[in-house]
Amino acid sequence: MPPRPQRRRTISRLTIGAAVLAAAATVTAAALPAGADTGHGSRTGRTVDVQLLSFNDFHGNLEPPQGSSGTVEERQPDGSKKNVTAGGVEYLAQSLRTARKGHPYSVTAAAGDLVGASPLLSGLFHDEPTIEAMNKLGLDVTSVGNHEFDEGRAELTRLQNGGCHPKDGCYEKGKKFRGAGFPYLAANVTDEKTGKPLLKPYTVWKHKGVKIGFIGVTLKGTPDVVSAGGVKGLKFHDEVETIDKYAKVLNHQGVKAIVALIHEGGQPASTSYNYNCDSPGLGDGISGPITEIAKHVTPKVDALVTGHTHQAYACTIPDPSGRPRTVTSAASYGKLYTATTLTYDRRTRDIVRTRVTAPGAVNHVVDRTQPKAADMTSLIARWNKLAAPVANRPVGHISADISGRGTEAPESPLGDVISDAQLEATKAADKGGAQLALMNPGGIRSDLAFKASGPEGDGVVTYGEAFTVQPFTNMMNVVDLTGAQLLTALQQQVSGPNEASPKILQVSKGLTYTLDMTKSGADRLVKDSVKLDGTALDPAKTYRVAMNEFLAGGGDGFPAFKDAKNKYVGPSDLDALTTYLTAHSSATTPLTPPKADRITVLK
């Protein structure tokens, strides 16, 4: 790949503000799809194939992710499946650079959550290392995701524009953080007072007469999955309405080829990244929020690059006019990238969208057998040197992998460990007096792997590894909840906004209950099965419940917690975990994975 300065000389961008939007007229666009026929033959010289490379949900995983978080499932020709190790920015950069060879028209885009919930190597430095890596690997544009708001609007703006952290300052002597060399797009995020977009709503990639517009949005429900402080003063708008609005603006400016970068996703029918998403019919292999978005976004948009659910798919979902259009997602943590062919017609300035036998979008594994990108190896070594005094400190020992993020079961062994750690940190009378603890599954970002990730040795858990599991540093809250409120919260795991995609809370030792998934909504919770230390939960009794501040604020669709009273603020969730690991394990008596038998699920 040519060095970054050369790429920048051949690429320019056009962005338009709210004033132009107000003046924009509605223009009917020609039909457009990705996965397009090349149009060569009678169109020779008129069309050109543009390579769109994309990924999503990188979450600061500069080093190869460990355990099941660092594998993808691959379907074999004989129908069997195998797990392939993948990911890490050294390999992602190399994969993208290799893919670009032979493609004079190539643009690289992402669909949000590049940062946030990051391992310590990036998270310790407020994700500056990840932004630097994205600059180096040639990212051209990304949408924001919900995790870009974890530290608030001011920090997101700093990641875009550069400058040293307001509290921690500059991390390297004589070096000032330069910010992202690519635009963060946030079309559906506006200031509550002014109504103006927080960041640029769209951008136009231009190369040798080819123009492709990119519109970036995050999920409308971002306030439900981010702490209140992170989205204070901001309003999040409907994804479809916003994309349609800016597609008209782009058309008004003569840009007919459009890609939407959407930080919202779906659930594939298969866990294999290379399954056929269009079998038996177009888009039959995908469900979830993105399907309705894809069916309603204006036909002016040619392709949808999506994220958020950390799943892999390359689907064809008909647009509102009935024409096929690609909808893709490349899992997470840099384990995959998607290559999509966009055939650009120079005369119409649009994308040619026609049905073809071969897929127009394909997910590729970022395998670890290829050579590493040397500049990324140097970047990792440089930041690791700064992080080493903190990251390499041992905090515990385990006898085997303790699965968390990687498990498909409703209850994970690591979820049990974390909730037990939170209860232990807050159960003393002068520490909150907690009787039970609840942990949201989305806050568990990785597994604890037995195999050493560095020089610490197998079975040793370092502070850096614990940080990767619990990177948010949420403060623990202990609150009063009645038994009735607890029952309502347990029902909210599988009803309301969580009915289609349940969020099963991880529970501390002593709390047991049954979910009957053959039923619907709140009836899925078997009320008389809920027991604490073997005694049925009393709806009229008040209980002291520990949870992180995100959950206590009603995050992840649990409004019942917002009615809690008598709040006590304890240590951070990370401190609770590391203290527990140190207290309950040693080199001679490592911690064994819990049985994960507190929640019974009937299917």
Side-chain angles (χ1 to χ4, degrees), residues 177-252:
F177 176 55
R178 297 173 58 188
F182 49 88
Y184 258 113
L185 304 181
N188 67 330
V189 186
T190 59
D191 185 285
E192 282 185 347
K193 293 182 179 179
T194 67
K196 294 181 179 179
L198 174 66
L199 297 171
K200 295 173 181 177
Y202 65 89
T203 191
V204 179
W205 177 84
K206 298 193 294 184
H207 186 59
K208 296 182 179 179
V210 173
K211 296 181 180 180
I212 298 179
F214 288 87
I215 302 168
V217 298
T218 184
L219 68 154
K220 181 182 179 181
T222 290
D224 297 328
V225 293
V226 175
S227 295
V231 295
K232 185 177 181 180
L234 299 174
K235 190 172 183 180
F236 293 76
H237 303 270
D238 183 78
E239 303 94 338
V240 174
E241 292 176 2
T242 302
I243 293 169
D244 287 2
K245 170 174 146 182
Y246 285 106
K248 292 177 183 178
V249 174
L250 285 166
N251 274 194
H252 182 71

Side-chain angles (χ1 to χ4, degrees), residues 261-399:
L261 307 176
I262 308 173
H263 191 71
E264 178 61 290
Q267 296 295 330
S270 170
T271 52
S272 298
Y273 80 89
N274 58 339
Y275 78 106
N276 183 0
C277 185
D278 293 329
S279 176
L282 295 183
D284 285 345
I286 184 74
S287 61
I290 198 61
T291 58
E292 288 304 305
I293 292 174
K295 290 175 183 176
H296 290 92
V297 163
T298 174
K300 294 178 173 64
V301 173
D302 301 296
L304 278 61
V305 177
T306 75
H308 188 55
T309 57
H310 291 207
Q311 302 299 314
Y313 46 85
C315 305
T316 307
I317 299 177
D319 67 20
S321 70
R323 296 181 179 87
R325 177 168 60 190
T326 59
V327 179
T328 65
S329 175
S332 61
Y333 305 159
K335 294 181 290 187
L336 300 174
Y337 73 90
T338 310
T340 303
T341 299
L342 301 172
T343 300
Y344 185 87
D345 188 319
R346 292 183 181 276
R347 182 180 298 175
T348 65
R349 294 174 294 178
D350 210 341
I351 301 299
V352 181
R353 265 206 283 151
T354 55
R355 286 290 304 278
V356 290
T357 302
V362 178
N363 277 324
H364 299 273
V365 177
V366 176
D367 70 86
R368 300 182 195 170
T369 61
Q370 63 185 312
K372 298 178 180 180
D375 58 338
M376 295 299 170
T377 301
S378 297
L379 180 150
I380 289 171
R382 197 178 92 244
W383 286 103
N384 260 331
K385 185 176 180 180
L386 293 173
V390 176
N392 296 335
R393 176 170 61 88
V395 295
H397 299 77
I398 56 177
S399 64

Side-chain angles (χ1 to χ4, degrees), residues 50-138:
V50 178
Q51 178 194 60
L52 171 62
L53 302 177
S54 60
F55 58 96
N56 51 276
D57 296 276
F58 184 72
H59 288 290
N61 278 261
L62 299 172
E63 296 178 297
Q66 296 297 301
S68 58
S69 295
T71 65
V72 291
E73 183 181 273
E74 184 176 76
R75 185 187 298 271
Q76 304 302 298
D78 64 0
S80 63
K81 300 175 182 177
K82 75 172 184 178
N83 288 328
V84 180
T85 55
V89 77
E90 295 160 298
Y91 303 107
L92 177 61
Q94 187 66 27
S95 293
L96 294 174
R97 290 165 181 172
T98 299
R100 291 177 187 131
K101 293 179 179 178
H103 293 274
Y105 296 83
S106 183
V107 56
T108 303
D113 278 8
L114 295 179
V115 301
S118 304
L120 183 136
L121 179 60
S122 185
L124 185 63
F125 306 105
H126 299 279
D127 282 310
E128 289 183 20
T130 293
I131 297 299
E132 181 184 346
M134 294 297 109
N135 288 340
K136 287 180 177 291
L137 64 72

Side-chain angles (χ1 to χ4, degrees), residues 423-435 478 544 566 568:
L423 176 59
E424 185 162 302
T426 57
K427 68 180 180 180
D430 62 343
K431 301 294 184 183
Q435 297 166 271
V478 184
R544 293 292 284 165
N566 195 20
Y568 171 88

